[in-house]
Amino acid sequence: MKVLKKSELRRAYLNRREAMGEEEVFLYSERIKRGVKSLPDFKDAKKILLYCPIKNEPDLTSLIWESISLGKEALLPKVDGDRLRIYKVEHSNQLKPGSFCILEPEDGTQVEPEEVDLALVPGIVFDAKGYRIGFGKGFYDRLLKRVKGVKVGVAYSFQVLEEIPVDSWDEPVDLLITETYILKGGKKYEY
Ligand code: ADP
Ligand code: MG
C-alpha cells in the first residue's frame, strides 16, 4: 500500500476529527483522562505538561486543576516565534476568561523542558512506534528533543495508524493513550 504523504494525512485526519460530534469528543476525552490518571507515570510526576485543546483535540483541561489539587505543577505551552515555551499554571485567572484554557501572554513562571516529568502531547496522526504528525511546524519535535521525562501521545484511536512517514527531525512519544487502549512498547493494553 502506498504510504500517504504527511500533508495528505494531516488534511484527511484533521477533517475526520473536525467531523466528530461534541458528545463523542466529551465521552472520549473523559475516558482518556481516566487512562492518563491510571498511569504510574502520572502518579509519580511532579511537573506535568498539558495543552489547551483546539480543533476537537481530546479535552484534558480539567486535569490542570486535578493535577494542581494533587500537589503537582501543571504546565502549558505557549508559542513564541518558532518555539514553544512552557509556563506554570498558578491560578485560574492566568487563563483567559471565556476560552478557559489559553494562557494570558504576559504572566507566569517559565519552566525549562528538561524539568518536565510527564508531557501530554496532542497530534493529528500517530503510528504504533509513537511517531507523530502535528500541524506541520515542528513545534513539538523541537520541544520533545529537550524533554527527559515520559512523553505521552494523546489521540482518539482512529488517529493511530500502523505506519506514517518519518523525517530525521521527528521525535516519537514513549506511549500512546486513546479512549480504549494504552500502547506501549508495541503492546496494547485495553481498558
Ligand atoms: P509536524 O511535526 O508539526 O507534523 P514536521 O515534522 O513536518 O511537522 O516539521 C515541520 C518543519 O519543522 C520541517 O520543515 C522541519 O524543517 C522543521 N523542524 C522540525 N524539527 C526541527 C528541528 N529540530 N530543527 C529544525 N527544524 C525543525
Ligand atoms: Mg514532526
Side-chain angles (χ1 to χ4, degrees), residues 18-63:
E18 297 264 33
M20 289 175 77
E22 220 174 287
E23 310 74 26
E24 204 179 10
V25 171
F26 177 80
L27 180 69
Y28 289 3
S29 297
E30 289 300 306
R31 287 197 205 151
I32 291 170
K33 280 190 278 188
R34 226 179 300 146
V36 170
K37 287 189 278 181
S38 77
L39 295 174
D41 296 315
F42 175 81
K43 292 172 189 155
D44 295 343
K46 279 290 297 168
K47 301 188 184 194
I48 302 183
L49 178 68
L50 290 126
Y51 61 87
C52 293
I54 54 167
K55 296 181 185 285
N56 278 349
E57 285 170 343
D59 187 349
L60 312 183
T61 309
S62 66
L63 282 185

Short mmCIF file of all heavy atoms in Angstrom, two decimals, residues 18-63:
data_model
loop_
_atom_site.label_atom_id
_atom_site.label_comp_id
_atom_site.label_asym_id
_atom_site.label_seq_id
_atom_site.Cartn_x
_atom_site.Cartn_y
_atom_site.Cartn_z
N GLU A 18 -12.48 16.97 12.80
CA GLU A 18 -13.41 18.11 12.81
C GLU A 18 -14.86 17.64 12.67
O GLU A 18 -15.78 18.32 13.09
CB GLU A 18 -13.10 19.09 11.67
CG GLU A 18 -11.73 19.73 11.75
CD GLU A 18 -11.70 21.10 12.39
OE1 GLU A 18 -12.52 21.33 13.30
OE2 GLU A 18 -10.88 21.92 11.97
N ALA A 19 -15.04 16.45 12.07
CA ALA A 19 -16.40 15.93 11.86
C ALA A 19 -16.97 15.26 13.11
O ALA A 19 -18.14 14.88 13.13
CB ALA A 19 -16.39 14.94 10.70
N MET A 20 -16.17 15.13 14.16
CA MET A 20 -16.67 14.48 15.38
C MET A 20 -17.74 15.35 16.05
O MET A 20 -17.67 16.57 16.01
CB MET A 20 -15.52 14.28 16.38
CG MET A 20 -14.53 13.21 15.99
SD MET A 20 -13.16 13.17 17.16
CE MET A 20 -13.93 12.31 18.56
N GLY A 21 -18.69 14.68 16.66
CA GLY A 21 -19.72 15.41 17.41
C GLY A 21 -19.20 15.78 18.80
O GLY A 21 -18.25 15.18 19.29
N GLU A 22 -19.88 16.78 19.38
CA GLU A 22 -19.49 17.29 20.70
C GLU A 22 -19.54 16.19 21.77
O GLU A 22 -18.68 16.11 22.64
CB GLU A 22 -20.49 18.38 21.09
CG GLU A 22 -19.90 19.59 21.77
CD GLU A 22 -20.98 20.64 21.97
OE1 GLU A 22 -21.39 21.29 20.98
OE2 GLU A 22 -21.43 20.79 23.12
N GLU A 23 -20.57 15.33 21.68
CA GLU A 23 -20.75 14.28 22.70
C GLU A 23 -19.63 13.27 22.63
O GLU A 23 -19.15 12.78 23.65
CB GLU A 23 -22.09 13.54 22.51
CG GLU A 23 -23.31 14.40 22.35
CD GLU A 23 -23.41 15.07 20.99
OE1 GLU A 23 -22.84 14.53 20.01
OE2 GLU A 23 -24.03 16.15 20.89
N GLU A 24 -19.24 12.94 21.39
CA GLU A 24 -18.17 11.97 21.18
C GLU A 24 -16.85 12.51 21.74
O GLU A 24 -16.11 11.81 22.44
CB GLU A 24 -18.04 11.72 19.68
CG GLU A 24 -17.44 10.42 19.33
CD GLU A 24 -17.36 10.23 17.80
OE1 GLU A 24 -17.60 11.20 17.04
OE2 GLU A 24 -17.03 9.12 17.39
N VAL A 25 -16.57 13.78 21.45
CA VAL A 25 -15.35 14.41 21.96
C VAL A 25 -15.37 14.38 23.49
O VAL A 25 -14.37 14.03 24.13
CB VAL A 25 -15.22 15.87 21.46
CG1 VAL A 25 -14.08 16.60 22.17
CG2 VAL A 25 -15.01 15.90 19.95
N PHE A 26 -16.52 14.70 24.06
CA PHE A 26 -16.64 14.74 25.52
C PHE A 26 -16.42 13.35 26.13
O PHE A 26 -15.62 13.17 27.04
CB PHE A 26 -18.01 15.28 25.93
CG PHE A 26 -18.23 15.28 27.42
CD1 PHE A 26 -17.68 16.28 28.22
CD2 PHE A 26 -18.96 14.26 28.03
CE1 PHE A 26 -17.86 16.26 29.60
CE2 PHE A 26 -19.13 14.24 29.41
CZ PHE A 26 -18.59 15.24 30.19
N LEU A 27 -17.14 12.37 25.58
CA LEU A 27 -17.07 11.00 26.11
C LEU A 27 -15.66 10.42 26.00
O LEU A 27 -15.11 9.87 26.96
CB LEU A 27 -18.06 10.12 25.33
CG LEU A 27 -18.12 8.66 25.74
CD1 LEU A 27 -18.75 8.52 27.13
CD2 LEU A 27 -18.92 7.84 24.73
N TYR A 28 -15.05 10.57 24.83
CA TYR A 28 -13.70 10.04 24.61
C TYR A 28 -12.68 10.79 25.48
O TYR A 28 -11.74 10.18 25.99
CB TYR A 28 -13.31 10.12 23.13
CG TYR A 28 -14.04 9.15 22.23
CD1 TYR A 28 -15.03 8.32 22.73
CD2 TYR A 28 -13.74 9.07 20.88
CE1 TYR A 28 -15.71 7.43 21.90
CE2 TYR A 28 -14.41 8.17 20.04
CZ TYR A 28 -15.39 7.37 20.56
OH TYR A 28 -16.03 6.49 19.73
N SER A 29 -12.88 12.08 25.64
CA SER A 29 -11.95 12.86 26.47
C SER A 29 -12.01 12.39 27.92
O SER A 29 -10.99 12.28 28.60
CB SER A 29 -12.28 14.35 26.40
OG SER A 29 -12.12 14.84 25.08
N GLU A 30 -13.23 12.10 28.40
CA GLU A 30 -13.38 11.59 29.77
C GLU A 30 -12.63 10.28 29.94
O GLU A 30 -11.94 10.06 30.93
CB GLU A 30 -14.87 11.38 30.11
CG GLU A 30 -15.67 12.67 30.27
CD GLU A 30 -15.13 13.57 31.38
OE1 GLU A 30 -14.98 13.09 32.51
OE2 GLU A 30 -14.83 14.75 31.08
N ARG A 31 -12.76 9.40 28.93
CA ARG A 31 -12.07 8.10 29.01
C ARG A 31 -10.56 8.28 28.98
O ARG A 31 -9.83 7.61 29.70
CB ARG A 31 -12.48 7.22 27.82
CG ARG A 31 -13.89 6.68 27.95
CD ARG A 31 -14.03 5.52 26.99
NE ARG A 31 -15.43 5.34 26.62
CZ ARG A 31 -15.83 4.85 25.47
NH1 ARG A 31 -14.95 4.50 24.54
NH2 ARG A 31 -17.11 4.70 25.22
N ILE A 32 -10.09 9.18 28.12
CA ILE A 32 -8.64 9.40 28.02
C ILE A 32 -8.10 9.96 29.34
O ILE A 32 -7.03 9.55 29.80
CB ILE A 32 -8.31 10.33 26.82
CG1 ILE A 32 -8.59 9.58 25.50
CG2 ILE A 32 -6.86 10.82 26.87
CD1 ILE A 32 -8.54 10.43 24.25
N LYS A 33 -8.86 10.85 29.96
CA LYS A 33 -8.42 11.40 31.26
C LYS A 33 -8.30 10.28 32.29
O LYS A 33 -7.36 10.25 33.08
CB LYS A 33 -9.42 12.45 31.76
CG LYS A 33 -9.22 13.80 31.09
CD LYS A 33 -10.03 14.88 31.76
CE LYS A 33 -11.46 14.85 31.29
NZ LYS A 33 -12.24 16.01 31.78
N ARG A 34 -9.28 9.38 32.28
CA ARG A 34 -9.22 8.24 33.22
C ARG A 34 -7.96 7.41 32.95
O ARG A 34 -7.27 6.99 33.87
CB ARG A 34 -10.47 7.37 33.06
CG ARG A 34 -11.08 7.00 34.40
CD ARG A 34 -12.34 6.17 34.22
NE ARG A 34 -13.38 6.86 33.46
CZ ARG A 34 -14.24 6.26 32.63
NH1 ARG A 34 -14.17 4.94 32.43
NH2 ARG A 34 -15.17 6.95 32.01
N GLY A 35 -7.66 7.21 31.66
CA GLY A 35 -6.46 6.47 31.27
C GLY A 35 -5.20 7.15 31.75
O GLY A 35 -4.29 6.50 32.29
N VAL A 36 -5.13 8.47 31.57
CA VAL A 36 -3.95 9.23 31.99
C VAL A 36 -3.75 9.07 33.50
O VAL A 36 -2.65 8.81 33.98
CB VAL A 36 -4.07 10.73 31.62
CG1 VAL A 36 -2.97 11.55 32.28
CG2 VAL A 36 -4.04 10.92 30.10
N LYS A 37 -4.86 9.21 34.25
CA LYS A 37 -4.75 9.15 35.71
C LYS A 37 -4.36 7.76 36.21
O LYS A 37 -3.84 7.61 37.30
CB LYS A 37 -6.07 9.60 36.35
CG LYS A 37 -6.26 11.11 36.24
CD LYS A 37 -7.43 11.58 37.06
CE LYS A 37 -8.72 11.38 36.30
NZ LYS A 37 -9.89 11.88 37.07
N SER A 38 -4.60 6.74 35.36
CA SER A 38 -4.24 5.38 35.77
C SER A 38 -2.75 5.08 35.56
O SER A 38 -2.24 4.06 36.02
CB SER A 38 -5.07 4.36 34.98
OG SER A 38 -4.55 4.22 33.67
N LEU A 39 -2.05 5.95 34.85
CA LEU A 39 -0.63 5.70 34.56
C LEU A 39 0.23 5.93 35.79
O LEU A 39 0.16 6.99 36.41
CB LEU A 39 -0.12 6.66 33.47
CG LEU A 39 -0.69 6.57 32.06
CD1 LEU A 39 -0.14 7.73 31.21
CD2 LEU A 39 -0.35 5.23 31.43
N PRO A 40 1.09 4.97 36.12
CA PRO A 40 2.05 5.20 37.21
C PRO A 40 2.88 6.46 36.94
O PRO A 40 3.23 7.19 37.87
CB PRO A 40 2.93 3.95 37.18
CG PRO A 40 2.09 2.90 36.53
CD PRO A 40 1.21 3.61 35.56
N ASP A 41 3.17 6.71 35.66
CA ASP A 41 3.95 7.89 35.30
C ASP A 41 3.22 9.18 35.68
O ASP A 41 3.85 10.19 35.98
CB ASP A 41 4.25 7.90 33.80
CG ASP A 41 5.12 6.73 33.39
OD1 ASP A 41 6.10 6.46 34.09
OD2 ASP A 41 4.79 6.07 32.37
N PHE A 42 1.89 9.16 35.64
CA PHE A 42 1.13 10.34 36.06
C PHE A 42 1.21 10.48 37.57
O PHE A 42 1.43 11.57 38.10
CB PHE A 42 -0.34 10.23 35.62
CG PHE A 42 -1.21 11.37 36.12
CD1 PHE A 42 -1.22 12.59 35.47
CD2 PHE A 42 -2.00 11.20 37.26
CE1 PHE A 42 -2.01 13.65 35.94
CE2 PHE A 42 -2.79 12.24 37.73
CZ PHE A 42 -2.80 13.47 37.07
N LYS A 43 1.03 9.36 38.25
CA LYS A 43 1.05 9.41 39.72
C LYS A 43 2.40 9.91 40.24
O LYS A 43 2.47 10.66 41.20
CB LYS A 43 0.71 8.03 40.30
CG LYS A 43 -0.75 7.68 40.01
CD LYS A 43 -1.09 6.26 40.38
CE LYS A 43 -2.49 5.89 39.87
NZ LYS A 43 -2.66 4.46 39.67
N ASP A 44 3.48 9.48 39.56
CA ASP A 44 4.83 9.86 40.01
C ASP A 44 5.22 11.27 39.60
O ASP A 44 6.15 11.84 40.18
CB ASP A 44 5.87 8.90 39.41
CG ASP A 44 5.70 7.47 39.93
OD1 ASP A 44 5.02 7.31 40.96
OD2 ASP A 44 6.23 6.54 39.29
N ALA A 45 4.58 11.81 38.58
CA ALA A 45 5.05 13.08 38.01
C ALA A 45 4.77 14.26 38.93
O ALA A 45 3.69 14.36 39.52
CB ALA A 45 4.37 13.31 36.66
N LYS A 46 5.75 15.14 39.05
CA LYS A 46 5.58 16.39 39.79
C LYS A 46 5.20 17.52 38.84
O LYS A 46 4.41 18.38 39.16
CB LYS A 46 6.89 16.76 40.52
CG LYS A 46 7.13 16.04 41.83
CD LYS A 46 6.16 16.51 42.92
CE LYS A 46 6.35 18.00 43.27
NZ LYS A 46 5.23 18.50 44.10
N LYS A 47 5.82 17.51 37.65
CA LYS A 47 5.58 18.59 36.68
C LYS A 47 5.00 18.00 35.40
O LYS A 47 5.66 17.23 34.71
CB LYS A 47 6.89 19.32 36.37
CG LYS A 47 7.51 19.94 37.62
CD LYS A 47 8.69 20.82 37.31
CE LYS A 47 9.30 21.30 38.63
NZ LYS A 47 10.24 22.40 38.44
N ILE A 48 3.76 18.38 35.12
CA ILE A 48 3.04 17.78 34.01
C ILE A 48 2.72 18.82 32.94
O ILE A 48 2.09 19.84 33.22
CB ILE A 48 1.73 17.15 34.52
CG1 ILE A 48 2.07 16.11 35.60
CG2 ILE A 48 0.94 16.53 33.37
CD1 ILE A 48 0.91 15.36 36.14
N LEU A 49 3.16 18.54 31.74
CA LEU A 49 2.86 19.43 30.62
C LEU A 49 1.54 18.99 29.99
O LEU A 49 1.41 17.86 29.53
CB LEU A 49 3.99 19.38 29.58
CG LEU A 49 3.75 20.23 28.33
CD1 LEU A 49 3.78 21.72 28.68
CD2 LEU A 49 4.80 19.91 27.25
N LEU A 50 0.58 19.91 29.99
CA LEU A 50 -0.71 19.65 29.35
C LEU A 50 -0.83 20.54 28.11
O LEU A 50 0.17 21.09 27.66
CB LEU A 50 -1.84 19.91 30.34
CG LEU A 50 -1.89 18.86 31.46
CD1 LEU A 50 -1.86 19.51 32.82
CD2 LEU A 50 -3.12 17.99 31.32
N TYR A 51 -2.00 20.66 27.56
CA TYR A 51 -2.19 21.54 26.40
C TYR A 51 -3.62 22.03 26.41
O TYR A 51 -4.48 21.44 27.07
CB TYR A 51 -1.88 20.78 25.09
CG TYR A 51 -2.79 19.59 24.87
CD1 TYR A 51 -4.02 19.72 24.23
CD2 TYR A 51 -2.44 18.32 25.36
CE1 TYR A 51 -4.88 18.64 24.06
CE2 TYR A 51 -3.29 17.24 25.20
CZ TYR A 51 -4.51 17.41 24.54
OH TYR A 51 -5.36 16.33 24.39
N CYS A 52 -3.87 23.11 25.69
CA CYS A 52 -5.23 23.60 25.53
C CYS A 52 -5.78 23.07 24.22
O CYS A 52 -5.15 23.26 23.19
CB CYS A 52 -5.24 25.12 25.54
SG CYS A 52 -4.79 25.79 27.13
N PRO A 53 -6.91 22.36 24.25
CA PRO A 53 -7.38 21.70 23.04
C PRO A 53 -7.88 22.67 21.98
O PRO A 53 -8.54 23.66 22.29
CB PRO A 53 -8.53 20.83 23.54
CG PRO A 53 -9.02 21.54 24.76
CD PRO A 53 -7.82 22.18 25.38
N ILE A 54 -7.53 22.37 20.73
CA ILE A 54 -8.12 23.09 19.60
C ILE A 54 -8.57 22.05 18.57
O ILE A 54 -8.10 20.92 18.58
CB ILE A 54 -7.14 24.08 18.92
CG1 ILE A 54 -5.84 23.39 18.53
CG2 ILE A 54 -6.84 25.26 19.84
CD1 ILE A 54 -4.97 24.21 17.59
N LYS A 55 -9.50 22.44 17.74
CA LYS A 55 -9.96 21.59 16.63
C LYS A 55 -10.29 20.17 17.07
O LYS A 55 -9.82 19.19 16.47
CB LYS A 55 -8.91 21.58 15.52
CG LYS A 55 -8.69 22.95 14.87
CD LYS A 55 -7.66 22.86 13.76
CE LYS A 55 -7.33 24.22 13.19
NZ LYS A 55 -8.39 24.74 12.32
N ASN A 56 -11.08 20.06 18.13
CA ASN A 56 -11.56 18.75 18.62
C ASN A 56 -10.48 17.83 19.19
O ASN A 56 -10.69 16.62 19.29
CB ASN A 56 -12.35 17.99 17.53
CG ASN A 56 -13.78 18.46 17.45
OD1 ASN A 56 -14.25 19.19 18.33
ND2 ASN A 56 -14.49 18.04 16.43
N GLU A 57 -9.33 18.37 19.56
CA GLU A 57 -8.36 17.54 20.27
C GLU A 57 -9.00 17.07 21.59
O GLU A 57 -9.85 17.77 22.14
CB GLU A 57 -7.10 18.36 20.60
CG GLU A 57 -6.21 18.60 19.38
CD GLU A 57 -5.09 19.61 19.65
OE1 GLU A 57 -5.17 20.36 20.64
OE2 GLU A 57 -4.16 19.67 18.84
N PRO A 58 -8.59 15.89 22.10
CA PRO A 58 -9.12 15.44 23.38
C PRO A 58 -8.97 16.55 24.43
O PRO A 58 -7.90 17.16 24.54
CB PRO A 58 -8.25 14.23 23.72
CG PRO A 58 -7.80 13.72 22.39
CD PRO A 58 -7.62 14.93 21.52
N ASP A 59 -10.05 16.81 25.15
CA ASP A 59 -10.06 17.92 26.10
C ASP A 59 -9.70 17.41 27.50
O ASP A 59 -10.52 16.81 28.18
CB ASP A 59 -11.45 18.57 26.11
CG ASP A 59 -11.47 19.83 26.96
OD1 ASP A 59 -10.49 20.08 27.71
OD2 ASP A 59 -12.47 20.57 26.89
N LEU A 60 -8.47 17.66 27.90
CA LEU A 60 -7.98 17.20 29.20
C LEU A 60 -7.89 18.36 30.19
O LEU A 60 -7.21 18.25 31.22
CB LEU A 60 -6.60 16.53 29.05
CG LEU A 60 -6.42 15.50 27.92
CD1 LEU A 60 -5.01 14.90 27.97
CD2 LEU A 60 -7.46 14.40 28.02
N THR A 61 -8.57 19.48 29.87
CA THR A 61 -8.42 20.70 30.66
C THR A 61 -8.60 20.48 32.16
O THR A 61 -7.85 21.04 32.96
CB THR A 61 -9.42 21.77 30.18
OG1 THR A 61 -9.30 21.91 28.77
CG2 THR A 61 -9.13 23.12 30.83
N SER A 62 -9.57 19.66 32.54
CA SER A 62 -9.82 19.51 33.98
C SER A 62 -8.62 18.86 34.69
O SER A 62 -8.48 18.97 35.90
CB SER A 62 -11.10 18.72 34.24
OG SER A 62 -10.96 17.40 33.79
N LEU A 63 -7.76 18.19 33.93
CA LEU A 63 -6.55 17.62 34.54
C LEU A 63 -5.61 18.71 35.05
O LEU A 63 -4.77 18.45 35.91
CB LEU A 63 -5.80 16.72 33.55
CG LEU A 63 -6.32 15.31 33.29
CD1 LEU A 63 -5.36 14.56 32.37
CD2 LEU A 63 -6.50 14.54 34.60
#
